[in-house]
Amino acid sequence: MARPDKAAAVAELADQFRSSNAAVLTEYRGLTVAQLKTLRRSLGEDAQYAVVKNTLTKIAANEAGISTLDDLFNGPTAVAFITGDPVTSAKGLRDFAKDNPNLVIKGGVLDGKALSADEIKKLADLESREVLLAKLAGAFKGKQTQAAQVFQALPSKFVRTAEALRAKQAEQGGAE
């Protein structure tokens, strides 16, 4: 039978996997405590970065329905559990890894779909959710402006055409 403290740790990790939008596995070998503290700050408030035991975390991930990460649980492993915007946290990880090559992004999971390290780096290259929504709103506003211009152009074109026709008829009527 499993020890109660290990069973509690597995249950807590499984809850974190279930409640997170994304989880990113990293290898932190060679990083100092101060660097790990800096990394935690760079991930933002919507992410929790925890050093974990591979066996317990693998069991917890499987209990949470995530079996695609099994191959990544080797070596010193830490997991970033992301509850907010995954793009922001992925950018934090990528930028920290650029400055600190000892941090290696192994892979992760986003909404139940497995992500490779390269896919996480691509995710980091995306703009934040707020910026994408602002661009979408701007595109909608631009299309509405174009539609309004078209709708305004039709009546004014009709009026100009009718006025030109009336002027032509008046000219022809005066010439006869």
Side-chain angles (χ1 to χ4, degrees):
M1 180 101 194
R3 291 187 357 214
D5 58 333
K6 288 186 178 184
V10 168
E12 183 181 340
L13 287 168
D15 286 341
Q16 285 182 311
F17 274 113
R18 285 187 201 102
S19 64
S20 299
N21 297 337
V24 178
L25 277 68
T26 64
E27 182 176 316
Y28 64 93
R29 185 185 329 232
L31 293 177
T32 65
V33 173
Q35 289 172 321
L36 288 173
K37 187 176 180 181
T38 303
L39 172 59
R40 285 184 175 102
R41 269 193 249 117
S42 71
L43 293 177
E45 294 179 12
D46 295 331
Q48 180 183 359
Y49 189 75
V51 174
V52 296
K53 292 191 178 282
N54 288 332
T55 306
L56 298 179
T57 309
K58 185 176 180 178
I59 293 168
N62 287 324
E63 281 185 13
I66 302 168
S67 60
T68 56
L69 301 176
D70 289 353
D71 296 339
L72 302 178
F73 292 112
N74 50 33
T77 302
V79 181
F81 293 103
I82 304 164
T83 55
D85 184 13
V87 173
T88 305
S89 297
K91 283 182 184 189
L93 283 168
R94 179 201 57 198
D95 294 344
F96 187 86
K98 281 182 185 176
D99 296 335
N100 301 282
N102 287 336
L103 180 75
V104 177
I105 297 172
K106 295 180 180 183
V109 63
L110 174 65
D111 293 328
K113 181 189 177 288
L115 297 176
S116 68
D118 290 335
E119 290 172 323
I120 291 170
K121 290 173 184 168
K122 287 179 186 175
L123 179 67
D125 291 337
L126 291 176
E127 293 173 331
S128 71
R129 183 177 189 272
E130 290 78 19
V131 171
L132 291 174
L133 288 174
K135 285 185 175 184
L136 182 64
F140 281 142
K141 183 178 178 186
K143 293 297 179 186
Q144 289 174 340
T145 303
Q146 288 175 346
Q149 290 171 348
V150 168
F151 293 139
Q152 288 175 348
L154 291 174
S156 63
K157 187 174 181 180
F158 174 75
V159 169
R160 287 193 303 273
T161 304
E163 183 61 30
L165 182 61
R166 186 195 60 75
K168 185 174 181 180
Q169 286 177 347
E171 188 179 288
Q172 286 176 351
E176 289 178 15

Short mmCIF file of all heavy atoms in Angstrom, two decimals, residues 96-123:
data_model
loop_
_atom_site.label_atom_id
_atom_site.label_comp_id
_atom_site.label_asym_id
_atom_site.label_seq_id
_atom_site.Cartn_x
_atom_site.Cartn_y
_atom_site.Cartn_z
N PHE A 96 13.29 33.03 -20.46
CA PHE A 96 14.20 32.61 -19.39
C PHE A 96 15.20 31.58 -19.92
O PHE A 96 16.38 31.62 -19.57
CB PHE A 96 13.42 32.05 -18.20
CG PHE A 96 14.28 31.76 -17.02
CD1 PHE A 96 14.56 32.75 -16.10
CD2 PHE A 96 14.81 30.50 -16.82
CE1 PHE A 96 15.38 32.49 -15.00
CE2 PHE A 96 15.62 30.22 -15.73
CZ PHE A 96 15.91 31.23 -14.81
N ALA A 97 14.74 30.66 -20.76
CA ALA A 97 15.62 29.63 -21.32
C ALA A 97 16.68 30.24 -22.23
O ALA A 97 17.79 29.72 -22.33
CB ALA A 97 14.80 28.58 -22.07
N LYS A 98 16.35 31.35 -22.92
CA LYS A 98 17.35 32.02 -23.75
C LYS A 98 18.49 32.56 -22.90
O LYS A 98 19.66 32.47 -23.26
CB LYS A 98 16.70 33.18 -24.53
CG LYS A 98 15.92 32.76 -25.74
CD LYS A 98 15.38 33.98 -26.45
CE LYS A 98 14.49 33.60 -27.60
NZ LYS A 98 13.88 34.78 -28.24
N ASP A 99 18.13 33.15 -21.75
CA ASP A 99 19.13 33.74 -20.86
C ASP A 99 19.84 32.69 -20.01
O ASP A 99 20.96 32.92 -19.54
CB ASP A 99 18.49 34.78 -19.94
CG ASP A 99 17.92 35.96 -20.72
OD1 ASP A 99 18.41 36.22 -21.85
OD2 ASP A 99 17.00 36.62 -20.22
N ASN A 100 19.16 31.56 -19.77
CA ASN A 100 19.69 30.51 -18.91
C ASN A 100 19.60 29.17 -19.63
O ASN A 100 18.60 28.47 -19.53
CB ASN A 100 18.91 30.44 -17.60
CG ASN A 100 18.96 31.74 -16.84
OD1 ASN A 100 19.94 32.03 -16.19
ND2 ASN A 100 17.91 32.54 -16.95
N PRO A 101 20.62 28.80 -20.38
CA PRO A 101 20.56 27.58 -21.19
C PRO A 101 20.42 26.30 -20.37
O PRO A 101 20.14 25.25 -20.93
CB PRO A 101 21.86 27.60 -21.99
CG PRO A 101 22.72 28.62 -21.37
CD PRO A 101 21.87 29.54 -20.58
N ASN A 102 20.59 26.37 -19.04
CA ASN A 102 20.41 25.18 -18.22
C ASN A 102 18.94 24.78 -18.12
O ASN A 102 18.64 23.64 -17.77
CB ASN A 102 20.96 25.41 -16.80
CG ASN A 102 22.47 25.41 -16.79
OD1 ASN A 102 23.10 24.84 -17.67
ND2 ASN A 102 23.06 26.07 -15.82
N LEU A 103 18.03 25.70 -18.39
CA LEU A 103 16.60 25.36 -18.40
C LEU A 103 16.27 24.77 -19.77
O LEU A 103 16.44 25.42 -20.80
CB LEU A 103 15.72 26.58 -18.14
CG LEU A 103 14.23 26.27 -18.13
CD1 LEU A 103 13.85 25.56 -16.84
CD2 LEU A 103 13.40 27.51 -18.30
N VAL A 104 15.80 23.53 -19.76
CA VAL A 104 15.45 22.85 -21.01
C VAL A 104 13.96 22.55 -20.99
O VAL A 104 13.46 21.91 -20.06
CB VAL A 104 16.24 21.52 -21.14
CG1 VAL A 104 15.83 20.77 -22.39
CG2 VAL A 104 17.73 21.79 -21.13
N ILE A 105 13.25 23.04 -22.00
CA ILE A 105 11.82 22.76 -22.12
C ILE A 105 11.69 21.39 -22.77
O ILE A 105 12.16 21.17 -23.89
CB ILE A 105 11.11 23.84 -22.94
CG1 ILE A 105 11.23 25.19 -22.22
CG2 ILE A 105 9.65 23.47 -23.15
CD1 ILE A 105 10.74 26.38 -23.03
N LYS A 106 11.07 20.45 -22.06
CA LYS A 106 10.93 19.08 -22.56
C LYS A 106 9.69 18.91 -23.42
O LYS A 106 9.70 18.19 -24.41
CB LYS A 106 10.84 18.10 -21.39
CG LYS A 106 12.05 18.00 -20.52
CD LYS A 106 11.77 16.98 -19.43
CE LYS A 106 12.91 16.78 -18.49
NZ LYS A 106 12.61 15.75 -17.48
N GLY A 107 8.61 19.52 -23.02
CA GLY A 107 7.34 19.36 -23.71
C GLY A 107 6.23 19.71 -22.75
O GLY A 107 6.46 20.24 -21.66
N GLY A 108 5.00 19.40 -23.14
CA GLY A 108 3.89 19.72 -22.25
C GLY A 108 2.57 19.29 -22.83
O GLY A 108 2.50 18.50 -23.78
N VAL A 109 1.53 19.84 -22.25
CA VAL A 109 0.18 19.53 -22.67
C VAL A 109 -0.64 20.81 -22.60
O VAL A 109 -0.48 21.62 -21.69
CB VAL A 109 -0.43 18.40 -21.79
CG1 VAL A 109 -0.53 18.82 -20.35
CG2 VAL A 109 -1.74 17.93 -22.32
N LEU A 110 -1.49 21.02 -23.62
CA LEU A 110 -2.37 22.18 -23.68
C LEU A 110 -3.76 21.69 -23.98
O LEU A 110 -4.01 21.11 -25.04
CB LEU A 110 -1.89 23.16 -24.76
CG LEU A 110 -2.79 24.36 -25.05
CD1 LEU A 110 -2.86 25.27 -23.83
CD2 LEU A 110 -2.28 25.13 -26.25
N ASP A 111 -4.67 21.89 -23.05
CA ASP A 111 -6.06 21.45 -23.18
C ASP A 111 -6.14 19.98 -23.59
O ASP A 111 -6.91 19.61 -24.49
CB ASP A 111 -6.81 22.32 -24.19
CG ASP A 111 -6.99 23.75 -23.70
OD1 ASP A 111 -7.10 23.94 -22.47
OD2 ASP A 111 -7.00 24.68 -24.53
N GLY A 112 -5.31 19.15 -22.98
CA GLY A 112 -5.35 17.71 -23.22
C GLY A 112 -4.54 17.24 -24.43
O GLY A 112 -4.42 16.05 -24.66
N LYS A 113 -3.99 18.16 -25.20
CA LYS A 113 -3.21 17.80 -26.38
C LYS A 113 -1.72 17.93 -26.06
O LYS A 113 -1.28 18.94 -25.52
CB LYS A 113 -3.56 18.73 -27.55
CG LYS A 113 -2.80 18.39 -28.83
CD LYS A 113 -3.02 19.46 -29.87
CE LYS A 113 -2.23 19.21 -31.11
NZ LYS A 113 -0.80 19.42 -30.97
N ALA A 114 -0.97 16.91 -26.40
CA ALA A 114 0.47 16.91 -26.13
C ALA A 114 1.17 17.93 -27.02
O ALA A 114 0.82 18.11 -28.19
CB ALA A 114 1.05 15.52 -26.37
N LEU A 115 2.16 18.61 -26.45
CA LEU A 115 2.96 19.58 -27.19
C LEU A 115 4.44 19.22 -27.06
O LEU A 115 4.90 18.88 -25.98
CB LEU A 115 2.76 20.99 -26.62
CG LEU A 115 1.38 21.61 -26.69
CD1 LEU A 115 1.38 22.95 -25.98
CD2 LEU A 115 0.94 21.78 -28.12
N SER A 116 5.14 19.31 -28.17
CA SER A 116 6.59 19.12 -28.13
C SER A 116 7.25 20.42 -27.67
O SER A 116 6.59 21.46 -27.57
CB SER A 116 7.10 18.73 -29.52
OG SER A 116 6.97 19.83 -30.40
N ALA A 117 8.53 20.37 -27.43
CA ALA A 117 9.26 21.58 -27.03
C ALA A 117 9.18 22.65 -28.12
O ALA A 117 9.02 23.84 -27.83
CB ALA A 117 10.71 21.24 -26.72
N ASP A 118 9.26 22.24 -29.38
CA ASP A 118 9.16 23.19 -30.49
C ASP A 118 7.78 23.83 -30.56
O ASP A 118 7.65 25.02 -30.86
CB ASP A 118 9.49 22.50 -31.82
CG ASP A 118 10.96 22.14 -31.94
OD1 ASP A 118 11.79 22.79 -31.27
OD2 ASP A 118 11.27 21.20 -32.71
N GLU A 119 6.74 23.05 -30.30
CA GLU A 119 5.39 23.59 -30.32
C GLU A 119 5.18 24.60 -29.19
O GLU A 119 4.48 25.59 -29.37
CB GLU A 119 4.36 22.47 -30.23
CG GLU A 119 4.29 21.63 -31.49
CD GLU A 119 3.42 20.40 -31.35
OE1 GLU A 119 3.40 19.78 -30.26
OE2 GLU A 119 2.75 20.05 -32.34
N ILE A 120 5.80 24.37 -28.06
CA ILE A 120 5.71 25.33 -26.95
C ILE A 120 6.42 26.62 -27.33
O ILE A 120 5.93 27.71 -27.04
CB ILE A 120 6.28 24.72 -25.66
CG1 ILE A 120 5.35 23.60 -25.18
CG2 ILE A 120 6.44 25.78 -24.57
CD1 ILE A 120 5.87 22.76 -24.07
N LYS A 121 7.54 26.51 -28.04
CA LYS A 121 8.24 27.72 -28.49
C LYS A 121 7.41 28.47 -29.53
O LYS A 121 7.39 29.70 -29.55
CB LYS A 121 9.62 27.36 -29.05
CG LYS A 121 10.57 26.91 -27.95
CD LYS A 121 11.88 26.39 -28.48
CE LYS A 121 12.73 25.87 -27.33
NZ LYS A 121 13.87 25.12 -27.76
N LYS A 122 6.69 27.75 -30.38
CA LYS A 122 5.79 28.40 -31.34
C LYS A 122 4.64 29.08 -30.61
O LYS A 122 4.19 30.16 -31.00
CB LYS A 122 5.25 27.38 -32.35
CG LYS A 122 6.27 26.93 -33.35
CD LYS A 122 5.70 25.90 -34.31
CE LYS A 122 6.76 25.34 -35.23
NZ LYS A 122 6.25 24.28 -36.08
N LEU A 123 4.14 28.43 -29.56
CA LEU A 123 3.08 29.02 -28.75
C LEU A 123 3.56 30.33 -28.14
O LEU A 123 2.82 31.31 -28.07
CB LEU A 123 2.65 28.04 -27.66
CG LEU A 123 1.56 28.48 -26.70
CD1 LEU A 123 0.24 28.63 -27.43
CD2 LEU A 123 1.40 27.48 -25.57
#
